[in-house]
Amino acid sequence: MQLYNTLSAQERAALIDKAGQERLTMSFYAYAHIGNPKILRDHLFLCWNALDVLGRIYVAKEGINAQLSVPAPKFDAFKKHLDSVAFLRGIRLNIAVEQDNKSFLKLTVKVRDKIVADGLEDDSFDVTNKGVHLSAKEFNALTSQEDTIVVDMRNHYESEIGHFTGAITPDVDTFRDSLPIIERDLAAHKDNKNLVMYCTGGIRCEKASAYFKHKGFKRVYQLEGGIIEYARQVKDQGLENKFIGKNFVFDERRSETISDDVIAACHQCGAACDTHVNCANEGCHLLFIQCPSCAEQFDQCCSNDCADIVALPLEEQKALRKGKHNSNKIFKKGRAHHLKTLNQS
């Protein structure tokens, strides 16, 4: 059985161009009790690989988290397969606001301890005991009330380029960091406020809603389908759009435009900009916001040091980064010391 990719990203991109078919980028998740995630992982890879599905999928005992693209002509076959899996039957699919045929260039299905890392070791916490789901219309109505608190369950580099008006945006690097901070800061409102949470597609705020219910919050809500579904409903139903800026996404697009507002700034010169890039130095690969002028000045790098490395022959670049791993440091973005220095100069 072939349970791995045999093509490089470049080879896959060429095949996508040659096929000439439109692809649909989408995401979905489901919290469920899965007995053997590895069996499910192998089954999904075999079936989806045959349908030319590409994407990043995580499976755990607590459920599934999927971000992927499907050839448009094979969407019905893909949906039929989803419906054949009991806990995925009728699952809501968050279709991307902006499409890109090369949003994903390989199929990766991995088994994880959890589909959303939360740092919790509490066997009494039931992730399926979630808060009340809100449609876009219901979200707009509830968040207009004075006794409602809106909390962004995403990380700082996501909310920096776009968020809901009036939302609390925790200054955190990870989801697990946000849980104790929000619980502490909002402890006085467990009984007297509506706690409304949102995230990109719903998966983080759903777990958060279950967590805060577990911690004694009485009036807990979440935006169903997250920002992605909210944007679709706003457009389809002609609703007021309360989201300003862009929605950060974890694929090759990096973001989707929800409103024309630019609320962020270039991390190098401070000019209005909300375009995320990765440093061209593969040994750095830092994710940060860069305007066109700075991209030209720094050769698409985050610093002069990285620009100097990119100017070296490829073999020398490889030698410099051999044995080094960036891990989540690539998401430090505006927190990187050298970017702060540039902003202050």
Side-chain angles (χ1 to χ4, degrees):
M1 293 188 297
Q2 179 193 325
L3 294 172
Y4 55 89
N5 293 281
T6 60
L7 298 175
S8 68
Q10 293 77 14
E11 290 171 326
R12 176 64 69 179
L15 285 180
I16 291 174
D17 288 337
K18 184 177 180 181
Q21 294 180 333
E22 293 299 312
R23 298 183 67 90
L24 299 174
T25 298
M26 66 192 72
S27 63
F28 68 87
Y29 72 91
Y31 286 103
H33 300 295
I34 299 175
N36 192 324
K38 187 179 185 305
I39 291 178
L40 177 61
R41 180 267 170 203
D42 294 350
H43 173 69
L44 294 180
F45 189 96
L46 288 171
C47 294
W48 292 356
N49 189 52
L51 293 173
D52 294 326
V53 173
L54 302 173
R56 187 186 306 112
I57 298 91
Y58 299 130
V59 179
K61 288 187 175 181
E62 69 175 11
I64 183 173
N65 179 19
Q67 301 172 69
L68 47 82
S69 74
V70 184
K74 296 183 180 181
F75 175 76
D76 289 342
F78 174 72
K79 187 64 172 65
K80 183 177 181 180
H81 176 260
L82 288 180
D83 289 339
S84 72
V85 180
F87 77 97
L88 296 178
R89 186 174 301 120
I91 191 78
R92 182 195 64 252
L93 301 177
N94 289 327
I95 307 297
V97 175
E98 298 175 350
Q99 292 293 336
D100 183 338
N101 287 344
K102 296 176 184 175
S103 56
F104 295 99
L105 294 173
K106 62 181 178 179
L107 174 62
T108 303
V109 188
K110 294 183 177 181
V111 174
R112 289 283 179 87
D113 290 336
K114 297 183 179 182
I115 56 174
V116 175
D118 52 30
L120 302 176
E121 298 294 339
D122 184 351
D123 293 336
S124 66
F125 170 47
D126 182 4
V127 72
T128 64
N129 184 24
K130 58 196 176 186
V132 178
H133 281 199
L134 298 174
S135 65
K137 184 176 182 180
E138 292 168 333
F139 177 89
N140 281 357
L142 190 60
T143 56
S144 296
Q145 298 180 13
E146 292 185 0
D147 61 347
T148 295
I149 299 173
V150 184
V151 181
D152 192 323
M153 295 308 304
R154 302 172 304 153
N155 306 324
H156 71 93
Y157 53 86
E158 299 171 84
S159 60
E160 182 178 9
I161 63 170
H163 53 75
F164 280 102
T165 303
I168 295 173
T169 56
D171 185 21
V172 296
D173 291 337
T174 67
F175 173 75
R176 70 173 66 194
D177 293 336
S178 67
L179 295 178
I181 292 174
I182 295 169
E183 181 186 0
R184 180 196 67 210
D185 291 350
L186 302 183
H189 303 297
K190 286 187 175 183
D191 298 314
N192 64 355
K193 295 282 187 178
N194 300 313
L195 177 58
V196 180
M197 289 164 288
Y198 71 89
C199 60
T200 307
I203 187 169
R204 285 176 282 183
C205 55
E206 182 155 322
K207 173 172 275 193
S209 74
Y211 174 79
F212 289 118
K213 285 183 65 177
H214 178 66
K215 289 296 184 176
F217 285 79
K218 305 301 182 186
R219 296 150 62 180
V220 182
Y221 302 84
Q222 68 173 100
L223 178 58
E224 184 176 13
I227 301 164
I228 296 173
E229 179 64 11
Y230 176 87
R232 187 191 69 80
Q233 291 182 19
V234 163
K235 181 179 179 181
D236 290 349
Q237 300 173 31
L239 303 174
E240 176 190 0
N241 176 28
K242 290 192 172 187
F243 189 92
I244 54 174
K246 287 182 176 179
N247 180 29
F248 185 96
V249 294
F250 292 88
D251 58 50
E252 295 298 325
R253 297 170 300 152
R254 297 193 182 94
S255 66
E256 296 179 324
T257 299
I258 308 299
S259 82
D260 293 331
D261 304 274
V262 178
I263 66 171
C266 174
H267 288 156
Q268 291 175 309
C269 73
C273 181
D274 56 10
T275 301
H276 275 106
V277 299
N278 286 106
C279 178
N281 173 17
E282 290 295 333
C284 173
H285 207 58
L286 182 77
L287 180 74
F288 68 109
I289 296 175
Q290 185 180 57
C291 69
S293 177
C294 287
E296 182 177 357
Q297 179 182 347
F298 293 97
D299 200 15
Q300 299 181 319
C301 292
C302 68
S303 66
N304 285 319
D305 288 343
C306 281
D308 289 342
I309 292 175
V310 168
L312 295 173
L314 185 58
E315 291 305 315
E316 289 188 41
Q317 293 183 47
K318 289 181 178 179
L320 286 173
R321 64 175 181 263
K322 186 176 182 180
K324 297 180 180 179
H325 300 282
N326 292 320
S327 187
N328 285 336
K329 291 180 180 178
I330 66 170
F331 293 114
K332 289 298 181 182
K333 211 163 45 91
R335 298 165 189 258
H337 176 71
H338 60 278
L339 288 179
K340 289 182 180 179
T341 302
L342 286 169
N343 280 331
Q344 292 168 358
S345 60

